[in-house]
Amino acid sequence: MTSGEAEVAVTDDEPRAQQNKQEKREEQPKPRRQKLITGPGILLVWLYGVMVVGAVSRSAVQISTDFHKAPLAYTLSALAGVVYGFITYSLVRGGETARKAALVCCAAELAGVLAVGAWTLAEPSAFPDATVWSDFGMGYLFIPVLLPVTAVFWLRKSRAHTRPAEPSGA
């Protein structure tokens, strides 16, 4: 075999090796996203969806008609609507990354509800008009304070169900 033949043999094997690698990649199934909207997750998505509509529509009307009256309150209602929308999207999307993002947003939502709720009780003059989170969500049947607590519980529980079993006796 001459040196030219050896080169031809090597170059003929390279496409086969690449093809084998590609076939192996195609054979491996893609990991499926864990569904977060099973069982109580469906109720959470529904409630967050209602809160999105309520907060966004309320803030849109208030900002477009009376923004000068209570800009802080109306802006906070709009922010609440955006947070609710992101959490709803994350729950529907599913998967570990979406679960973590929803968990962080729910914690931020709870912190916001508690901060704004306490602020509205401590200094009512700062809020001439109510926000979604005013008085801990009293205008929304306290759903704004209960929903993130429930969602955090559900998201943590859903993570526990997806952990692989640890080998025993190691």
Side-chain angles (χ1 to χ4, degrees):
M1 182 185 313
T2 64
S3 62
E5 290 173 350
E7 288 176 25
V8 170
V10 169
T11 56
D12 285 345
D13 288 341
E14 285 179 19
R16 284 186 205 135
Q18 288 175 351
Q19 184 179 3
N20 287 342
K21 286 180 185 177
Q22 186 176 8
E23 287 173 0
K24 286 180 183 177
R25 273 186 261 146
E26 290 173 359
E27 289 174 7
Q28 295 175 353
K30 292 183 181 180
R32 295 186 57 193
R33 287 190 198 134
Q34 177 206 1
K35 293 181 80 175
L36 297 173
I37 54 171
T38 59
I42 294 171
L43 180 60
L44 284 174
V45 169
W46 187 84
L47 287 171
Y48 269 113
V50 168
M51 294 303 290
V52 168
V53 172
V56 170
S57 58
R58 175 183 183 159
S59 64
V61 169
Q62 290 172 325
I63 288 172
S64 64
T65 59
D66 293 325
F67 187 71
H68 64 281
K69 191 171 146 187
L72 178 62
Y74 301 155
T75 303
L76 286 172
S77 287
L79 177 65
V82 170
V83 170
Y84 294 145
F86 184 78
I87 294 170
T88 305
Y89 169 76
S90 296
L91 290 171
V92 170
R93 178 170 165 73
E96 185 61 17
T97 303
R99 189 193 61 75
K100 287 178 182 177
L103 195 56
V104 168
C105 271
C106 287
E109 174 197 357
L110 181 59
V113 171
L114 295 175
V116 172
W119 191 3
T120 56
L121 293 177
E123 191 179 341
S125 63
F127 295 90
D129 204 356
T131 72
V132 174
W133 294 345
S134 293
D135 302 317
F136 304 103
M138 187 167 53
Y140 284 80
L141 304 174
F142 295 103
I143 291 173
V145 79
L146 296 174
L147 198 54
V149 172
T150 307
V152 165
F153 175 75
W154 170 249
L155 290 166
R156 289 178 57 86
K157 184 178 176 187
S158 69
R159 178 185 65 186
H161 288 306
T162 61
R163 287 186 188 160
E166 303 219 1
S168 60

